[in-house]
Amino acid sequence: MPLIQIALGVAVTYIPGVHHVPLNPELFLLLFIAPLLFNDGKMTPRDELWQLRSFILLLALGLVFATVLIAGPFIHWLIPAIPLSAAFALAAILSPTDAVAVGSLSGRVKLPGRIMRLLEGEALMNDASGLVAFNFAIAATVTGHFSLPRAIGSFIVIAVGGIVVGALLGFLAIWLRMLLRRLGMEDVTLHVLIIILTPFLIYWIAEEFHVSGILAVVAAGVTHAIERDRMRTGSARLRIVSDSTWSVILFSLNGLVFLLLGLEIPASSDGMAGLRHTITANPLPISC
């Protein structure tokens, strides 16, 4: 299905009269990545994540930074026209694995459950380290200056701050729903709407506080999973409607992501062709 959706996206770009408007990356993260990771946080077993916490942190931190340090010089060696700092930025983009891709992989490849939990936990946590590496690589490219202590401090603030903000806002959303139920407001549509809006609002608020919105929605998803476990005897109708609604939303978002990817492929191919022509015509290093 993803390959079909990508092919459809590519085909749409060649329809006369269709004008593709690039999607803002920050808007893409808010509209697509936030709800998808929120759902992954709700579905990931928390006990197994805690047991694998040391291995997950080693992968989410050590492997990401090791990938950046190894792939950056390799990209610079492969394409000397790209400055080393810009090559580090490109490596930082490539280093984090995708939680949605890992979830899709689990349905096709039969891996041991412990390995899948390790990959899922690492995929949920590695975006913060990749984002910090990317930001400082861009800053080094623009200013020509890099500070390791500042990078470490920034990572701690972004990662820990994102987890704390997400957990607090997640519990606040749960408290609001509990308050509405105590007041007799049992309308299923209202409660499902609050659940749907939760990841978007939490991601936006976390980014406004300059912490990791990615880790914030994951932490909020985990808090909602805890609340879900404690309310097994709650409204069965609410759980059924919520699960059904989320399944439709997730299927639609995943499909749109692959369609958008297909829409971007022709423009990206043209851009790479132009870059190769520029490098061939100008052997001197070009700015990135």
Side-chain angles (χ1 to χ4, degrees):
M1 181 62 70
L3 294 177
I4 295 174
Q5 292 164 341
I6 292 173
L8 289 174
V10 174
V12 168
T13 60
Y14 294 101
I15 297 177
V18 175
H19 300 283
H20 172 52
V21 179
L23 185 63
N24 184 287
E26 295 182 0
L27 186 61
F28 178 84
L29 290 173
L30 174 64
L31 295 181
F32 294 93
I33 303 304
L36 292 174
L37 290 183
F38 177 78
N39 181 75
D40 288 335
K42 288 197 303 180
M43 298 303 175
T44 303
R46 296 166 305 286
D47 294 338
E48 296 186 33
L49 286 183
W50 180 252
Q51 294 174 0
L52 297 171
R53 61 188 182 277
S54 58
F55 300 104
I56 290 174
L57 289 176
L58 284 174
L59 288 175
L61 300 181
L63 185 59
V64 169
F65 291 132
T67 302
V68 172
L69 293 175
I70 295 173
F74 176 75
I75 293 173
H76 178 66
W77 170 80
L78 190 65
I79 310 177
I82 299 180
L84 182 60
S85 56
F88 279 125
L90 179 57
I93 295 174
L94 301 174
S95 57
T97 54
D98 178 47
V100 179
V102 172
S104 178
L105 180 67
S106 63
R108 295 174 172 82
V109 181
K110 298 301 180 182
L111 293 175
R114 185 179 177 87
I115 298 298
M116 285 307 305
R117 296 292 176 261
L118 179 61
L119 293 176
E120 290 171 351
E122 188 264 342
L124 292 174
M125 300 290 293
N126 59 17
D127 288 283
S129 51
L131 182 61
V132 170
F134 174 76
N135 287 337
F136 277 90
I138 292 297
T141 303
V142 175
T143 64
H145 176 71
F146 175 78
S147 172
L148 181 60
R150 184 181 175 186
I152 295 175
S154 177
F155 171 77
I156 294 175
V157 171
I158 290 174
V160 177
I163 294 174
V164 172
V165 170
L168 291 177
L169 294 177
F171 282 117
L172 180 61
I174 295 171
W175 174 82
L176 175 61
R177 291 175 48 219
M178 296 294 296
L179 177 63
L180 293 176
R181 296 188 67 178
R182 285 197 296 267
L183 295 176
M185 301 178 67
E186 295 282 352
D187 184 68
V188 173
T189 304
L190 174 62
H191 286 269
V192 172
L193 180 61
I194 294 175
I195 295 174
I196 292 174
L197 293 177
T198 295
F200 301 103
L201 293 175
I202 289 178
Y203 182 90
W204 175 68
I205 293 174
E207 290 294 321
E208 288 295 316
F209 280 98
H210 302 291
V211 296
S212 175
I214 298 293
L215 291 180
V217 293
V218 171
V222 173
T223 60
H224 276 71
I226 296 173
E227 180 257 355
R228 183 188 179 95
D229 293 342
R230 292 179 177 178
M231 295 182 63
R232 291 292 184 184
T233 59
S235 174
R237 183 186 176 195
L238 174 60
R239 290 201 302 271
I240 293 172
V241 174
S242 176
D243 292 343
S244 301
T245 304
W246 267 111
S247 65
V248 174
I249 292 175
L250 295 174
F251 182 84
S252 302
L253 290 178
N254 276 302
L256 286 173
V257 167
F258 289 114
L259 284 173
L260 290 172
L261 175 60
L263 289 171
E264 295 290 343
I265 287 178
S268 300
S269 301
D270 294 340
M272 289 300 297
L275 178 61
R276 285 196 299 269
H277 176 73
T278 303
I279 294 174
T280 304
N282 181 16
L284 296 177
I286 59 174
S287 60
C288 181

